[in-house]
Amino acid sequence: MGVNVTAHALGIDLVHGGESALFKWLLASFLMGKRIRAQVAVQTWHVIVDKHGRDTPRKLAGCTHRELVRMLGEGGYARYDESTSTRLQTLASRLLAEYGGTVSGMREASTDRRDFEKRLQSFDGIGPKTAEIFMREAAQVLF
């Protein structure tokens, strides 16, 4: 699992990268939060973000289910490809619909860190582990 992978190791600058960096780290955290080798999660993240340029909620939501399954498989994430594809599309679409497509929008709608984490975990596929991975580094920027 991706417990020791950092945003910095992925080339994500959370301090200066703004909304783009926050979403990329959320996507990475989502992939690493599953019971899968960190190397596979990181490789899959690179396939989705770097190779296919699906690095914003709008671009990710615009993928077809089949395209996402293919990208997940390309990264070696085959065991979870079907459910993960659906959850990623739902995550991106819901972020767009409810929070203006931004992690910052979710932060602005939250009363405090606890409320933010509750909202984060309300997304299908984001449980305590994924929230912990994300917050480990994003909290310093968001709060």
Side-chain angles (χ1 to χ4, degrees):
M1 284 173 268
V3 177
N4 296 320
V5 176
T6 64
H8 179 74
L10 294 175
I12 301 170
D13 182 354
L14 288 169
V15 175
H16 300 103
E19 193 54 46
S20 172
L22 283 169
F23 181 72
K24 287 177 185 177
W25 182 238
L26 179 59
L27 180 57
S29 300
F30 182 93
L31 293 169
M32 291 185 288
K34 307 297 173 264
R35 293 182 181 274
I36 196 159
R37 289 188 348 262
Q39 178 184 354
V40 171
V42 167
Q43 184 173 305
T44 301
W45 182 84
H46 282 296
V47 166
I48 293 170
V49 171
D50 297 332
K51 185 174 181 183
H52 293 283
R54 304 302 186 161
D55 57 353
T56 68
R58 191 165 309 288
K59 290 177 185 176
L60 195 61
C63 288
T64 65
H65 181 73
R66 184 178 303 282
E67 286 172 325
L68 265 175
V69 167
R70 196 174 311 122
M71 285 183 245
L72 291 163
E74 196 177 327
Y77 214 91
R79 180 175 168 197
Y80 297 100
D81 60 359
E82 290 289 333
S83 63
T84 300
S85 173
T86 300
R87 287 179 174 142
L88 283 172
Q89 282 183 300
T90 302
L91 169 76
S93 296
R94 197 169 146 213
L95 204 55
L96 285 164
E98 295 179 20
Y99 302 109
T102 68
V103 175
S104 298
M106 187 173 9
R107 166 59 183 109
E108 290 164 15
S110 304
T111 55
D112 56 19
R113 180 179 171 147
R114 176 184 244 168
D115 185 41
F116 179 85
E117 289 182 27
K118 185 178 174 185
R119 288 171 188 268
L120 190 61
Q121 290 183 51
S122 74
F123 285 87
D124 190 23
I126 297 184
K129 185 50 136 185
T130 300
E132 176 190 319
I133 293 168
F134 179 74
M135 293 302 288
R136 184 179 64 218
E137 293 186 54
Q140 67 186 9
V141 176
L142 292 169
F143 294 92

